[in-house]
Amino acid sequence: LSALQLSSLARLLKETLLESREREYEDIDKKYVVVQTRVRFLSDVIDDLELYARSIEEALLKYHQSKIKEINERIAELWGATYQGRDIESIEIESKSVVRGSKKLFEYAVYMVKNHARLQMRSRCSAGQKALAALVIRMALAEAFCTGCGVLALDEPTTNLDQENKVALVYSLVQIIKYRREQKNFQLVVITHDDEFGRLVGFVGELERS
């Protein structure tokens, strides 16, 4: 190519670049306003979502705390009416919020109470105490979350219970039946190989009705 041709190509290239740059920045002020509006809108949306998430989390925490309180009150009633020993006045569930990674979780532990002193039940109670505690907690949970549910099912509830606590459990179950008597769809289902327990439930129930 000659020097004239190179000069002409260089001029054409420069004009083309200028033209393309002019098209690229055409209405740049309007485009800037649109982009800024989107950024501000998205920022406000993110702030609102974070606010809603915190509000929901606080509401759930309050609900959780109120339910734990309700459950523990019912546990204390059932334990006091059922457990015949003198070494444990009551039991209660303790929950605490923990953070693992990016998740917030609840951890639970069962405590036994005596003279306002609290100790975890794990590894500190007998098999019978453990069985009764599990049964009482499940019954309290059912009462707290399934008030409209018509079925309470117990599978071998007298396992590891001594005679005194077995009889006390019968009276507690009869009281639950009495309490739920007005609920038309209520049924108590007990799965057991303990014939004596079945007879006691029937006998005490008849006494309550007479």
Side-chain angles (χ1 to χ4, degrees):
L1 294 175
S2 65
L4 182 60
Q5 288 174 321
L6 287 173
S7 175
S8 178
L9 286 173
R11 186 171 59 254
L12 179 60
L13 177 60
K14 184 177 180 180
E15 290 175 356
T16 302
L17 288 173
L18 288 173
E19 185 180 350
S20 64
R21 189 169 296 173
E22 287 176 359
R23 286 199 301 270
E24 180 181 352
Y25 292 104
E26 186 178 2
D27 297 326
I28 190 62
D29 292 340
K30 293 180 181 178
K31 292 178 180 178
Y32 176 78
V33 170
V34 170
V35 171
Q36 279 292 95
T37 303
R38 288 177 179 173
V39 170
R40 290 179 182 177
F41 174 76
L42 290 174
S43 177
D44 289 342
V45 168
I46 291 171
D47 290 342
D48 287 344
L49 288 175
E50 290 179 349
L51 178 62
Y52 295 150
R54 286 195 299 270
S55 299
I56 291 172
E57 185 177 332
E58 290 174 4
L60 286 174
L61 182 59
K62 288 180 180 178
Y63 175 77
H64 180 268
Q65 291 171 340
S66 68
K67 275 298 179 183
I68 288 292
K69 182 180 178 182
E70 178 186 341
I71 291 165
N72 279 332
E73 288 173 354
R74 187 60 180 142
I75 286 174
E77 292 175 6
L78 290 168
W79 185 264
T82 306
Y83 184 60
Q84 299 301 298
R86 296 184 178 181
D87 54 333
I88 302 175
E89 291 176 357
S90 183
I91 63 172
E92 61 186 37
I93 297 174
E94 181 184 272
S95 70
K96 60 181 179 180
S97 178
V98 296
V99 178
R100 290 182 181 172
S102 60
K103 294 183 178 180
K104 287 186 177 180
L105 306 171
F106 285 102
E107 288 185 348
Y108 301 90
V110 180
Y111 282 78
M112 52 187 181
V113 182
K114 175 71 173 180
N115 294 329
H116 304 292
R118 299 169 70 252
L119 286 173
Q120 279 203 41
M121 288 194 74
R122 178 175 290 181
S123 303
R124 292 190 176 95
C125 60
S126 66
Q129 290 169 334
K130 186 186 297 183
L132 186 60
L135 182 60
V136 164
I137 290 171
R138 284 174 171 83
M139 290 169 65
L141 289 170
E143 296 255 337
F145 292 103
C146 306
T147 53
C149 179
V151 179
L152 176 61
L154 303 176
D155 185 7
E156 301 292 353
T158 59
T159 301
N160 294 320
L161 295 186
D162 58 25
Q163 184 67 21
E164 198 174 11
N165 283 310
K166 183 195 299 185
V167 172
L169 176 60
V170 169
Y171 278 93
S172 294
L173 288 177
V174 170
Q175 288 303 312
I176 290 175
I177 294 170
K178 186 177 180 181
Y179 174 75
R180 292 286 193 99
R181 187 172 293 168
E182 301 303 320
Q183 186 177 333
K184 295 180 180 179
N185 66 335
F186 177 72
Q187 289 184 346
L188 173 65
V189 179
V190 179
I191 303 167
T192 182
H193 291 89
D194 190 339
D195 294 337
E196 182 189 18
F197 179 72
R199 287 194 298 271
L200 280 171
V201 172
F203 176 72
V204 174
E206 287 296 329
L207 285 180
E208 288 289 328
R209 285 192 291 272
S210 61

